[in-house]
Amino acid sequence: MPSALSWITELIPPRTTPRSRSWEPVENEVGTLLPTDYKQLADIYGAGLFDETIWLLEPGCHHKIYNLNLASVVKEREEVLANLWEFEDKPAELREDGVRVLPWAFCEGSGNFLYWLLQPGQAPDDWTVMLNEGRGPEWESHRLSCSQFLFAAMTGDIDSFYFDGPLATTHRFQPITEFV
């Protein structure tokens, strides 16, 4: 059975040969192993924008306008959420000891973030995707990998308040290098 990542590469053929990088330093920096499909997605496409909607974070991405560096966004979001939860209730999924969220993408213009839900003892390839409303308290959980979520959002095959149809009629990826 084809993977969601192969479906994405069929919709948007990669422009370049996939990178080969050492993921161990990245995983040490963010404090956890990362899902295989995310590592493949980042190696194939790098940081950039899917269908003018979803920005993919990438380790080591430094851009003068957009912060798409995975490690720095992880740190930033941990601080933002810690401050937020001082006066707002955590979603039920995040109340268990040892649970955390880790960002992997965000949505253009809305402030919505896409996270993985990390639960104790759970392998990275089994993580759930959570979407957090950027300007409000709402969270959605999707029992999908990041590439499954991305493909479902792109094609409109997802049950989400924030994505009510395909992201685009013609799918595309714009690498961060195309943005000034």
Side-chain angles (χ1 to χ4, degrees), residues 31-32 78 85 90 92-102 116-122 127:
T32 186
E78 285 174 346
W85 290 325
K90 283 184 180 182
E93 298 97 331
L94 303 181
R95 293 185 193 140
E96 182 183 330
D97 285 342
V99 170
R100 74 186 261 223
V101 290
L102 195 78
W116 291 294
L117 173 63
L118 287 66
Q119 297 175 308
Q122 190 177 41
W127 292 346

Side-chain angles (χ1 to χ4, degrees), residues 87-154:
F87 62 90
E88 190 174 288
D89 289 336
K90 283 184 180 182
E93 298 97 331
L94 303 181
R95 293 185 193 140
E96 182 183 330
D97 285 342
V99 170
R100 74 186 261 223
V101 290
L102 195 78
W104 61 272
F106 64 91
C107 299
E108 172 67 22
S110 67
N112 298 345
F113 267 84
L114 294 164
Y115 295 92
W116 291 294
L117 173 63
L118 287 66
Q119 297 175 308
Q122 190 177 41
D125 290 341
D126 296 329
W127 292 346
T128 295
V129 169
M130 292 187 75
L131 186 148
N132 174 232
E133 176 184 27
R135 295 176 178 90
E138 299 302 318
W139 289 76
E140 288 183 353
S141 292
H142 299 273
R143 295 208 175 275
L144 301 169
S145 71
C146 66
S147 61
Q148 290 169 332
F149 180 92
L150 179 60
F151 182 76
M154 290 170 65

Side-chain angles (χ1 to χ4, degrees), residues 151-163:
F151 182 76
M154 290 170 65
T155 60
D157 191 26
I158 194 162
D159 183 19
S160 171
F161 178 79
Y162 301 98
F163 300 104

Side-chain angles (χ1 to χ4, degrees), residues 43-54:
D43 284 346
I44 292 169
Y45 292 101
L49 186 61
F50 284 92
D51 287 351
E52 299 182 7
T53 305
I54 297 177

